[in-house]
Amino acid sequence: KGNCFINAGATYSLNFSGEFSVHRNLQVNGVFNISTGNNSNSIKVKGDCIVDGTITESGTGSPVLVLEGMVSQQLGVKGQISNSITLKTNNLSGILLISPILINHKLEMVAGKISTTDSTLLIISSSGTIVADSSQSSVFINGPLQKQGIVASSNFLFPVGAGSMQRWLRLQEAVGDYT
């Protein structure tokens, strides 16, 4: 019911079906393999999440890393979140990025906004997606967002906004990387 620290040089792997709750901060300096089997584990973090190492999965499940604090949470990823891991935000008080982050799989926004700056950019790779609840006016990216690898045959919706209001921006028949 406290912090979870995975030190540099250490690997911690999970192979079960269920929830793994961190009631305070998650600090990953080593390797945190959140799903080694066919399970769709849910890792729920109520404090800050700092990843200087690697959060990954090596199984066939669909694991989810959930930020669901009651107060604003900080997210810093100087390392990487790799493979098919969904990053889910469910915090009405919001998420503050403290370093750039690259989403290679999926970002699912349920509640609250994610605040970014030019130096703490949220980057969605060409294979990455964003799912945001458009019925919730307070679910959006508050600051710059980059989508990489847009192709002419696809659309991309940027769930952006300002203050407390969501405003969607849609790119259609665009090609390349856009911020």
Side-chain angles (χ1 to χ4, degrees), residues 128-149:
T129 62
I130 295 181
V131 176
D133 188 345
S134 61
S135 69
Q136 300 293 323
S137 64
S138 63
V139 176
F140 61 89
I141 307 300
N142 183 35
L145 164 67
Q146 182 182 82
K147 173 61 177 162
Q148 297 177 336

CSV table of all heavy atoms in Angstrom, one decimal, residues 128-149:
chain,number,residue,atom,x,y,z
A,128,GLY,N,0.7,4.4,-33.0
A,128,GLY,CA,0.0,4.8,-31.7
A,128,GLY,C,-1.4,5.4,-32.0
A,128,GLY,O,-1.6,6.0,-33.1
A,129,THR,N,-2.3,5.2,-31.0
A,129,THR,CA,-3.6,5.8,-31.1
A,129,THR,C,-4.0,6.5,-29.8
A,129,THR,O,-3.4,6.3,-28.8
A,129,THR,CB,-4.7,4.7,-31.4
A,129,THR,OG1,-4.7,3.8,-30.3
A,129,THR,CG2,-4.4,4.0,-32.7
A,130,ILE,N,-5.0,7.4,-30.0
A,130,ILE,CA,-5.6,8.0,-28.8
A,130,ILE,C,-7.1,7.7,-28.8
A,130,ILE,O,-7.8,7.9,-29.8
A,130,ILE,CB,-5.4,9.6,-28.8
A,130,ILE,CG1,-4.0,10.0,-28.7
A,130,ILE,CG2,-6.2,10.2,-27.7
A,130,ILE,CD1,-3.8,11.5,-28.7
A,131,VAL,N,-7.6,7.4,-27.6
A,131,VAL,CA,-9.0,7.2,-27.4
A,131,VAL,C,-9.4,8.2,-26.3
A,131,VAL,O,-8.8,8.1,-25.2
A,131,VAL,CB,-9.4,5.8,-27.1
A,131,VAL,CG1,-10.9,5.7,-26.8
A,131,VAL,CG2,-9.0,4.8,-28.1
A,132,ALA,N,-10.3,9.1,-26.6
A,132,ALA,CA,-10.7,10.1,-25.6
A,132,ALA,C,-12.2,10.2,-25.5
A,132,ALA,O,-12.8,10.1,-26.6
A,132,ALA,CB,-10.1,11.5,-25.9
A,133,ASP,N,-12.7,10.3,-24.4
A,133,ASP,CA,-14.2,10.4,-24.2
A,133,ASP,C,-14.7,11.7,-24.6
A,133,ASP,O,-14.5,12.7,-23.9
A,133,ASP,CB,-14.5,10.1,-22.7
A,133,ASP,CG,-16.0,10.0,-22.5
A,133,ASP,OD1,-16.8,10.4,-23.4
A,133,ASP,OD2,-16.4,9.5,-21.4
A,134,SER,N,-15.3,11.8,-25.8
A,134,SER,CA,-15.7,13.1,-26.3
A,134,SER,C,-16.9,13.7,-25.6
A,134,SER,O,-17.3,14.9,-25.7
A,134,SER,CB,-16.0,13.0,-27.8
A,134,SER,OG,-17.0,12.1,-28.0
A,135,SER,N,-17.6,12.9,-24.8
A,135,SER,CA,-18.7,13.4,-24.0
A,135,SER,C,-18.3,14.1,-22.7
A,135,SER,O,-19.1,14.7,-22.1
A,135,SER,CB,-19.7,12.2,-23.7
A,135,SER,OG,-19.1,11.4,-22.7
A,136,GLN,N,-17.0,14.0,-22.4
A,136,GLN,CA,-16.5,14.6,-21.2
A,136,GLN,C,-15.7,15.9,-21.6
A,136,GLN,O,-14.6,15.7,-22.2
A,136,GLN,CB,-15.6,13.7,-20.4
A,136,GLN,CG,-16.3,12.4,-19.9
A,136,GLN,CD,-17.3,12.7,-18.8
A,136,GLN,OE1,-17.1,13.6,-18.0
A,136,GLN,NE2,-18.4,12.0,-18.9
A,137,SER,N,-16.2,17.0,-21.3
A,137,SER,CA,-15.6,18.3,-21.8
A,137,SER,C,-14.2,18.5,-21.2
A,137,SER,O,-13.4,19.3,-21.7
A,137,SER,CB,-16.5,19.5,-21.6
A,137,SER,OG,-16.7,19.7,-20.2
A,138,SER,N,-13.9,17.9,-20.1
A,138,SER,CA,-12.6,18.1,-19.4
A,138,SER,C,-11.6,17.0,-19.7
A,138,SER,O,-10.6,17.0,-19.1
A,138,SER,CB,-12.9,18.1,-17.9
A,138,SER,OG,-13.3,16.9,-17.4
A,139,VAL,N,-11.8,16.2,-20.8
A,139,VAL,CA,-10.9,15.2,-21.2
A,139,VAL,C,-10.2,15.7,-22.5
A,139,VAL,O,-10.8,15.6,-23.5
A,139,VAL,CB,-11.6,13.8,-21.4
A,139,VAL,CG1,-10.6,12.8,-21.9
A,139,VAL,CG2,-12.2,13.3,-20.1
A,140,PHE,N,-8.9,16.2,-22.3
A,140,PHE,CA,-8.2,16.7,-23.5
A,140,PHE,C,-6.7,16.9,-23.1
A,140,PHE,O,-6.3,16.8,-22.0
A,140,PHE,CB,-8.8,18.0,-24.0
A,140,PHE,CG,-8.8,19.1,-23.0
A,140,PHE,CD1,-7.7,20.0,-22.9
A,140,PHE,CD2,-9.9,19.3,-22.2
A,140,PHE,CE1,-7.7,21.0,-22.1
A,140,PHE,CE2,-9.9,20.4,-21.3
A,140,PHE,CZ,-8.8,21.2,-21.2
A,141,ILE,N,-6.0,17.1,-24.2
A,141,ILE,CA,-4.5,17.5,-24.0
A,141,ILE,C,-4.5,19.0,-23.9
A,141,ILE,O,-4.9,19.7,-24.8
A,141,ILE,CB,-3.7,17.0,-25.2
A,141,ILE,CG1,-3.9,15.5,-25.6
A,141,ILE,CG2,-2.2,17.3,-25.0
A,141,ILE,CD1,-3.5,14.6,-24.5
A,142,ASN,N,-3.9,19.4,-22.8
A,142,ASN,CA,-3.8,20.9,-22.5
A,142,ASN,C,-2.3,21.3,-22.8
A,142,ASN,O,-1.5,21.2,-21.9
A,142,ASN,CB,-4.1,21.2,-21.0
A,142,ASN,CG,-4.1,22.6,-20.7
A,142,ASN,OD1,-4.4,23.5,-21.5
A,142,ASN,ND2,-3.6,22.9,-19.5
A,143,GLY,N,-2.1,21.6,-24.1
A,143,GLY,CA,-0.7,21.9,-24.5
A,143,GLY,C,-0.4,21.2,-25.8
A,143,GLY,O,-1.3,20.6,-26.4
A,144,PRO,N,0.9,21.2,-26.3
A,144,PRO,CA,1.2,20.6,-27.5
A,144,PRO,C,1.1,19.1,-27.5
A,144,PRO,O,1.4,18.4,-26.5
A,144,PRO,CB,2.6,21.0,-27.8
A,144,PRO,CG,3.1,21.6,-26.5
A,144,PRO,CD,2.0,21.9,-25.6
A,145,LEU,N,0.7,18.5,-28.7
A,145,LEU,CA,0.6,17.1,-28.9
A,145,LEU,C,1.1,16.9,-30.3
A,145,LEU,O,0.8,17.6,-31.3
A,145,LEU,CB,-0.9,16.7,-28.9
A,145,LEU,CG,-1.3,15.4,-29.4
A,145,LEU,CD1,-0.7,14.2,-28.7
A,145,LEU,CD2,-2.8,15.2,-29.4
A,146,GLN,N,1.9,15.8,-30.5
A,146,GLN,CA,2.4,15.5,-31.8
A,146,GLN,C,1.9,14.1,-32.3
A,146,GLN,O,2.0,13.2,-31.5
A,146,GLN,CB,4.0,15.5,-31.9
A,146,GLN,CG,4.5,15.2,-33.2
A,146,GLN,CD,6.0,15.2,-33.2
A,146,GLN,OE1,6.6,14.2,-32.9
A,146,GLN,NE2,6.7,16.3,-33.6
A,147,LYS,N,1.5,14.0,-33.5
A,147,LYS,CA,1.2,12.8,-34.1
A,147,LYS,C,2.2,12.5,-35.3
A,147,LYS,O,2.3,13.4,-36.1
A,147,LYS,CB,-0.3,12.8,-34.7
A,147,LYS,CG,-0.6,11.5,-35.5
A,147,LYS,CD,-0.6,10.2,-34.7
A,147,LYS,CE,-1.0,9.1,-35.6
A,147,LYS,NZ,-0.6,7.8,-35.1
A,148,GLN,N,2.8,11.4,-35.2
A,148,GLN,CA,3.8,11.0,-36.2
A,148,GLN,C,3.2,10.1,-37.3
A,148,GLN,O,2.3,9.3,-37.0
A,148,GLN,CB,5.0,10.4,-35.6
A,148,GLN,CG,5.8,11.2,-34.6
A,148,GLN,CD,6.9,10.5,-34.0
A,148,GLN,OE1,6.9,9.3,-33.9
A,148,GLN,NE2,7.9,11.2,-33.5
A,149,GLY,N,3.7,10.2,-38.5
A,149,GLY,CA,3.4,9.3,-39.6
A,149,GLY,C,2.0,9.3,-40.1
A,149,GLY,O,1.4,8.2,-40.4
